[in-house]
Amino acid sequence: MLFFSSVGGLSAAVVDEAPMVLIKATSDEVLAAIKENSEKIKSDPKVVNALVEKIVLPHIDFQTMSKLVLAVNWRKASAAQQAAFTAEFRELLVRTYSKSLGEYDGQKVTYFPMRPESDPKEALVRSEIQAKSGMPIPVAYRLRKNEQGSWKIIDVVIDEVSLVTNYRNTFAQDVQRVGIDGLIKQLRNSNAEGGV
């Protein structure tokens, strides 16, 4: 689960390369940091969390991701519930991503040329991670340019499975069952226990 101009078709639309430059630079930086701190990570896996917080998190738009994940339930939630959900969802993603990075062992990452998107403020950076055995794993990062002009990650698609869609389906069922406060409590408990 790692971080991603070409001329598109006959339309000759120029693709903004900034999203790929961002993803590739972030991936290279975090993987170099993991390699450099490998001994510390063996004795304390939480070291990866700190690296993710410092290197990766500034490039993720957790507010947008939270809105996309909760979908209609976001509008039903109060401002306090939205803030609490975003904080717990962020923690969940940090732990999940850190766990994946902790298992990284030098697998090769290949990036593919970007294609023009219908919305110039959206971008998809596609990559492939060579698994230790078997077929390569496709990983794509969906980014959106914010009002400040910065590209931020709003979804990750691993092996054709969208992180946002996956959590949206799960959390929609949870909200139906226990409500938004119940979902926030579940996430808080899971985060406290360190489960994924």
Side-chain angles (χ1 to χ4, degrees):
M1 235 177 91
L2 311 169
F3 277 74
F4 316 95
S5 147
S6 62
V7 177
L10 298 174
S11 65
V14 177
V15 177
D16 185 350
E17 290 184 28
M20 183 180 292
V21 171
L22 172 72
I23 294 295
K24 193 168 186 320
T26 303
S27 292
D28 290 349
E29 186 180 352
V30 78
L31 295 178
I34 284 171
K35 190 175 180 182
E36 189 179 310
N37 292 280
S38 60
E39 290 307 312
K40 285 183 194 171
I41 291 166
K42 282 177 190 167
S43 59
D44 182 8
K46 289 187 178 172
V47 169
V48 179
N49 291 26
L51 295 173
V52 169
E53 290 266 356
K54 180 183 171 195
I55 301 168
V56 180
L57 294 199
H59 306 297
I60 300 175
D61 182 346
F62 287 103
Q63 181 87 1
T64 297
M65 276 185 107
S66 296
K67 285 180 187 176
L68 293 172
V69 164
L70 278 187
V72 294
N73 291 309
W74 180 265
R75 291 189 294 279
K76 294 176 185 175
S78 68
Q81 288 172 321
Q82 290 172 353
F85 173 81
T86 301
E88 297 302 333
F89 183 55
R90 178 185 184 278
E91 180 65 21
L92 170 69
L93 292 182
V94 169
R95 290 186 304 99
T96 304
Y97 188 63
S98 297
K99 186 172 182 282
S100 296
L101 280 177
E103 294 165 5
Y104 178 77
D105 190 24
Q107 296 90 330
K108 184 177 179 238
V109 182
T110 304
Y111 297 92
F112 299 101
M114 291 179 64
R115 302 174 186 147
E117 297 288 318
S118 55
D119 182 346
K121 290 186 177 176
E122 299 258 334
L124 185 69
V125 176
R126 297 173 303 117
S127 72
E128 201 172 69
I129 300 169
Q130 183 58 57
K132 281 188 178 178
S133 59
M135 298 292 288
I137 302 162
V139 179
Y141 301 89
R142 182 156 296 285
L143 297 92
R144 183 177 292 165
K145 190 182 274 191
N146 64 18
E147 291 173 5
Q148 292 75 40
S150 300
W151 287 98
K152 300 285 184 181
I153 298 164
I154 59 167
D155 194 11
V156 181
V157 181
I158 302 167
D159 208 6
E160 306 299 319
V161 178
S162 157
L163 181 142
V164 163
T165 303
N166 193 39
Y167 279 121
R168 182 188 296 143
N169 295 337
T170 303
F171 292 164
Q173 292 169 6
D174 291 340
V175 169
Q176 272 190 327
R177 197 168 39 81
V178 295
I180 291 171
D181 285 332
L183 169 61
I184 293 166
K185 185 178 178 186
Q186 278 179 196
L187 286 172
R188 188 174 291 130
N189 291 342
S190 176
N191 286 334
E193 292 164 9
V196 176

